Amino acid sequence: MTTTEGPTAHATLHTRVLDWYADHARVLPWREPGCSPWGVLVSEVMLQQTPVARVLPRWQAWLERWPTPSDLAAEPPGEAVRAWDRLGYPRRALWLHAAAVAIRDEHGGQVPTDHAGLLALPGVGAYTAAAVASFAFGQRHAVVDTNVRRVHARAVTGDAEPAASLTAAENRLAERLLPDDEATAARWAVAVMELGALVCTARSPRCDDCPLLDRCAWVLAGRPPRTGPARRGQAWAGTDRQVRGRLLAVLRESPDPVTAGDLAACWADAAQRARCLDGLVADGLVEPLDDGRFRLPRS
C-alpha cells in the first residue's frame, strides 16, 4: 500500500477525478437526469462483460418496448431472451425478467430504493445493487467493477493489474476511498469507473491524460509489469458458447417453435449441439415441447 494514503490524499484523489469526470464524461442515456431507476438497472445488467457500444442500441430498444418493470413482467421470459439479441450471456435476460416480476409483485412496480431490497431481486448481486443504489438513488456505496479495481490497483496500491478475482482487501480499499457525502460518493463511483474505462485501460493506458499521473503509485514505481501467471483470453470459435449462441439465434428469429432439424442446420457436430441444447434447456433459455420442437420459454 502506498504511504500517501490518508484523508488529505483522499481529498486530492476525489478533487482530481471528479474534476476530470466533469470535463470528460461520456454522454450516456442511463446517466441522464431523466433516466428512471429501471433504466439504470437494465443498463447495469446489460453492461456486465459487454461494451457500451453494443449495449446502447439494445438498451434503447428495451426501454422503448418495456419502459417499466411491469411492462416486461407482463410478457413471457422468452421475449426478453429474444430482445436480448446478441449481447451475450443471455441468462442475464432471464434475470432481468425475473427481477421485473419481483418488482411488480413485491414492490408495487417500483424499483426498490434501498440496497437490501435491490440485493434481494433475482439475479442482482453485490455490484449491481450498489451501482443502482448509487447511480439511480444517489446513495453512498462502494461500486467496484473491473475498471474501478484497475484504477485503485494502479493509483493506490501500485499494482499493474488487480487480482484475478475481487478480494476483501479491494472492497475495504474501495470503502476507505469513498467520500463522506452521499451525493459526492455517488458521483465518485461513476467517475472512477469512467476513468478506468477511458484512460486507465487494461491495455495501453493513457497515463499522460490521467489526472492522477503525478501521484499514481504504479507510475511512481516505474510502471512495473504485473506478476503472476498470464491471463488467457476467452476463446470463441468452436466453443460451446458459440454453439449456444447459434442455437438461440435460430429460436430468436422464428416466431414459431422450431424442429430439431432446424437446429441441426446451424451446427454440424451433433454431439456438441445436443450437449449445448441440453444446457440451454437446463438454464431455462429453451423450452422443449411434447411434439419434439423447441421454443423460447413462455413461463
Side-chain angles (χ1 to χ4, degrees):
M1 175 73 66
T2 177
T3 57
T4 60
E5 189 188 351
T8 301
H10 290 179
T12 301
L13 283 173
H14 297 159
T15 298
R16 292 194 182 185
V17 173
L18 290 171
D19 286 350
W20 173 88
Y21 182 73
D23 292 334
H24 297 91
R26 290 170 291 182
V27 177
L28 299 172
W30 45 83
R31 291 180 182 166
E32 293 299 296
C35 183
S36 68
W38 170 241
V40 174
L41 174 57
V42 172
S43 75
E44 286 302 328
V45 174
M46 287 187 170
L47 286 164
Q48 294 168 18
Q49 304 182 69
T50 310
V52 166
R54 291 184 59 203
V55 167
L56 267 171
R58 287 295 96 216
W59 182 89
Q60 290 164 338
W62 191 284
L63 268 293
E64 287 174 5
R65 181 172 178 179
W66 299 306
T68 71
S70 297
D71 293 323
L72 175 59
E75 295 212 40
E79 289 306 300
V81 177
R82 195 187 309 278
W84 197 256
D85 199 38
R86 299 178 184 274
L87 280 183
Y89 303 98
R91 288 187 71 185
R92 291 181 293 169
L94 293 182
W95 295 339
L96 262 178
H97 186 274
V101 171
I103 291 168
R104 179 195 64 188
D105 294 349
E106 300 169 20
H107 299 279
Q110 301 298 314
V111 175
T113 61
D114 62 298
H115 184 270
L118 289 164
L119 194 58
L121 294 175
V124 172
Y127 164 79
T128 304
V132 175
S134 296
F135 305 152
F137 302 113
Q139 297 173 12
R140 184 180 182 274
H141 295 280
V143 183
V144 188
D145 75 345
T146 301
N147 290 316
V148 172
R149 295 175 64 215
R150 191 166 53 251
V151 172
H152 289 176
R154 290 175 179 163
V156 181
T157 63
D159 298 318
E161 296 289 342
S165 57
L166 181 64
T167 66
E170 287 178 291
N171 276 327
R172 289 194 296 270
L173 174 58
E175 292 283 354
R176 287 201 302 274
L177 292 176
L178 272 178
D180 292 332
D181 174 69
E182 272 203 336
T184 307
R187 190 162 178 82
W188 162 260
V190 69
V192 178
M193 191 178 299
E194 191 80 332
L195 184 64
L198 300 183
V199 175
C200 193
T201 55
R203 298 182 181 179
S204 304
R206 295 165 40 221
C207 294
D208 289 343
D209 297 326
C210 182
L212 304 177
L213 175 62
D214 65 342
R215 58 156 295 115
C216 174
W218 180 59
V219 171
L220 293 174
R223 301 178 189 175
R226 71 175 300 273
T227 58
R231 295 178 182 175
R232 297 181 179 179
Q234 288 187 323
W236 172 253
T239 63
D240 283 4
R241 283 184 59 215
Q242 183 182 22
V243 180
R244 286 165 61 99
R246 292 272 186 91
L247 293 168
L248 279 178
V250 173
L251 288 153
R252 279 197 310 268
E253 291 162 9
S254 174
D256 302 311
V258 302
T259 67
D262 295 327
L263 296 176
C266 77
W267 196 261
D269 186 328
Q272 186 180 23
R273 187 178 67 248
R275 179 175 68 247
C276 292
L277 182 58
D278 286 345
L280 290 170
V281 171
D283 288 343
L285 289 160
V286 173
E287 184 178 328
L289 302 179
D290 292 340
D291 62 5
R293 294 184 300 165
F294 301 87
R295 68 182 181 190
L296 295 175
R298 301 293 297 175
S299 61

